[in-house]
């Protein structure tokens, strides 16, 4: 029922508490991709370490509780067609602590795009008006849908698209969908199933995407939702984003990489939440590296660049509660790039969830300078 999470949704589902404890990069340790393709480790981190500033919490009591968004995570931001920032959040409760109050997911908050990011993101309203409503109506239960969680949001022309994962018990993705909005996120249309949870070997659940004006393609990186899998790549023409059959995989076959080959991991590891954006002509991938408990950033030249040779930064790392530092963040995850970021001044929204007491459960803003 609303406000309560079932901890026994199915035999294969994860509890919310165990979800953050997944880790261990098994495939990456071997350096082998699909079909034994030798991939090798990530490139060594850039020699000059970037400067990191923890700017503070951007959700929680007295910050977003006025919209009924007291306990929440994620915060996936995109520019709306009318020029605002819209951030999409995951499981959200109206009271302090996971499971307390009105349970909704996903919800959205608007921010002022004119406010300097160095001053901290400034919320101006919610999807739904004075109270943040669930973007589309559905019941939270485990028969079969426990919750629907956002993967990434993108704006193409006058339309926004939101990739979501339909959970049949937390961590068990039954299918993915794409929702659309033609009024800058004020209302959303729920699309049908895009991909079943087992599609592409379960590697097409969690997603991030970015649009290239050069060739009118949306490029999509996906992985499983369990934080223990590599990533694969697809592309789709912008006008066909709602057509599952239009997604073309990138893969390795007959001694060469190419479009239309069976999808092959482009980067091994234990991937969690991801965010892929083009900034100042550079492709920037940020993600929660579940195997190492870090938030990482890669800078590369294009969608099919060898990610193992990309400039690699580990921005944040896990630290025990009570022993946090500017870059040591307890039970961190997420890492979404805020619109308006530059390569010299990158802003990330990073979540924390202290399992057990289930508080704090919020999102913080980090400023990263000196990536290049």
């Amino acid at each position: 029922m609303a406000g309560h999470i079932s901890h026994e949704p199915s035999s294969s589902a994860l509890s919310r508490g165990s979800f953050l404890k997944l880790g261990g990069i098994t495939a990456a340790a071997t350096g082998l991709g699909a079909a034994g393709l030798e991939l090798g480790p990530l490139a060594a981190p850039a020699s000059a370490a970037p400067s990191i500033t923890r700017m503070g919490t951007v959700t929680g009591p007295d910050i977003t509780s006025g919209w009924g968004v007291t306990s929440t995570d994620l915060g996936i931001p995109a520019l709306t067609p009318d020029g605002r920032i819209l951030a999409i959040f995951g499981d959200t409760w109206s009271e302090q602590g996971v499971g307390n109050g009105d349970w909704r997911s996903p919800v959205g908050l608007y921010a002022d795009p004119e406010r300097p990011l160095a001053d901290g993101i400034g919320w101006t309203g919610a999807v739904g008006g004075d109270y943040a409503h669930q973007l589309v109506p559905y019941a939270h239960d485990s028969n079969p849908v426990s919750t629907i969680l956002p993967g990434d949001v993108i704006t193409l022309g006058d339309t926004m698209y939101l990739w979501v994962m339909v959970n049949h018990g937390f961590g068990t993705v039954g299918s993915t969908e794409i929702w659309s909005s033609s009024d800058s996120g004020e209302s959303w249309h729920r699309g049908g199933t895009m991909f079943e949870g087992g599609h592409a070997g379960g590697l097409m659940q969690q997603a991030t995407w970015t649009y290239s004006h050069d060739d009118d393609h949306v490029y999509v990186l996906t992985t499983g939702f369990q934080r223990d899998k590599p990533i694969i790549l697809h592309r789709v023409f912008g006008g066909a984003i709602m057509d599952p059959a239009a997604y073309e995989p990138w893969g390795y076959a007959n001694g060469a990489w190419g479009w239309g080959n069976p999808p092959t991991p482009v980067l091994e590891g234990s991937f969690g939440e991801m965010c892929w954006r083009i900034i100042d002509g550079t492709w920037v991938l940020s993600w929660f590296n579940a195997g190492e408990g870090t938030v990482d950033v890669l800078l590369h030249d294009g969608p099919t660049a060898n990610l193992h040779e990309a400039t690699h930064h580990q921005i944040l790392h896990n630290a025990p509660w009570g022993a946090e530092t500017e870059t040591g963040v307890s039970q961190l995850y997420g890492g979404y790039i805020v619109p308006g970021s530059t390569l010299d001044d990158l802003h990330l929204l990073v979540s924390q969830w202290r399992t057990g007491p289930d508080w704090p459960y919020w999102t913080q803003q980090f400023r990263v300078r000196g990536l290049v």
Side-chain angles (χ1 to χ4, degrees):
M1 63 182 179
H4 175 73
I5 301 175
S6 170
H7 289 279
E8 298 178 350
S10 72
S11 60
S12 60
L14 301 169
S15 72
R16 289 184 61 91
S18 65
F19 188 64
L20 280 187
K21 298 173 184 176
L22 288 173
I25 300 181
T26 55
T30 67
L32 295 177
L37 176 65
E38 196 71 38
L39 293 176
L42 281 168
S47 57
S51 170
I52 315 296
T53 303
R54 188 197 295 244
M55 298 187 62
T57 304
V58 298
T59 65
D62 302 322
I63 303 173
T64 54
S65 53
W67 293 288
V69 182
T70 304
S71 302
T72 195
D73 68 350
L74 306 183
I76 308 165
L79 281 178
T80 65
D82 65 8
R84 293 176 289 173
I85 293 174
L86 175 61
I88 305 296
F89 293 87
D91 282 325
T92 298
W93 288 269
S94 56
E95 300 177 17
Q96 183 172 313
V98 169
N100 295 330
D102 182 18
W103 183 11
R104 291 145 291 145
S105 179
V107 302
L109 293 176
Y110 291 101
D112 179 7
E114 301 300 323
R115 178 185 171 100
L117 292 180
D119 293 342
I121 198 164
W123 308 113
T124 59
V127 175
D130 293 336
Y131 186 81
H133 294 293
Q134 195 165 266
L135 297 189
V136 301
Y138 70 91
H140 289 265
D141 56 42
S142 56
N143 188 26
V145 177
S146 55
T147 192
I148 298 178
L149 297 177
D152 202 359
V153 61
I154 194 170
T155 298
L156 300 177
D158 295 330
T159 305
M160 302 188 77
Y161 298 94
L162 177 65
W163 179 293
V164 299
M165 297 168 284
V166 181
N167 280 251
H168 293 185
F170 191 81
T172 301
V173 177
S175 62
T176 59
E177 300 174 357
I178 294 179
W179 301 353
S180 61
S181 172
S182 57
D183 56 6
S184 290
E186 297 286 358
S187 63
W188 290 84
H189 171 73
R190 182 174 182 177
T193 295
M194 288 293 294
F195 302 101
E196 297 295 336
H199 185 79
L203 290 176
M204 216 159 179
Q205 299 176 4
Q206 180 74 263
T208 185
W209 47 19
T210 193
Y211 175 72
S212 172
H213 290 275
D214 293 341
D215 58 7
D216 189 30
H217 274 94
V218 174
Y219 290 89
V220 191
L221 288 172
T222 60
T223 186
F225 186 53
Q226 300 75 28
R227 293 177 166 167
D228 60 358
K229 293 178 174 63
I231 52 174
I232 59 175
L233 171 65
H234 286 74
R235 69 178 180 182
V236 61
F237 278 111
I241 196 171
M242 301 289 286
D243 179 7
Y247 283 67
E248 185 179 21
W250 174 254
Y252 188 83
N254 301 316
W257 288 87
W259 292 109
N261 290 333
T264 305
V266 295
L267 198 60
E268 294 282 356
S270 297
F271 281 82
E273 298 79 17
M274 305 179 291
C275 187
W276 204 18
R277 301 292 185 259
I278 302 173
I279 301 175
D280 303 333
T282 296
W283 295 60
V284 182
L285 173 65
S286 63
W287 80 98
F288 173 55
N289 181 341
E292 299 187 27
T294 58
V295 169
D296 292 12
V297 170
L298 288 183
L299 308 178
H300 53 108
D301 295 331
T304 60
N306 185 343
L307 297 184
H308 293 82
E309 297 177 352
T311 300
H312 175 216
H313 295 274
Q314 285 197 331
I315 303 299
L316 305 172
H317 62 274
N318 190 47
W321 291 102
E324 290 194 316
T325 65
E326 198 77 352
T327 60
V329 184
S330 300
Q331 288 190 271
L332 75 169
Y333 57 105
Y336 298 101
I337 300 168
V338 182
S341 292
T342 67
L343 295 179
D344 294 327
D345 195 357
L346 186 78
H347 290 256
L348 299 174
L349 297 183
V350 177
S351 296
Q352 285 186 283
W353 171 26
R354 187 170 190 174
T355 51
D358 285 333
W359 186 260
Y361 175 71
W362 56 29
T363 297
Q364 294 193 332
Q365 181 177 347
F366 288 80
R367 185 181 189 186
V368 183
R369 285 168 288 183
L371 279 177
V372 293

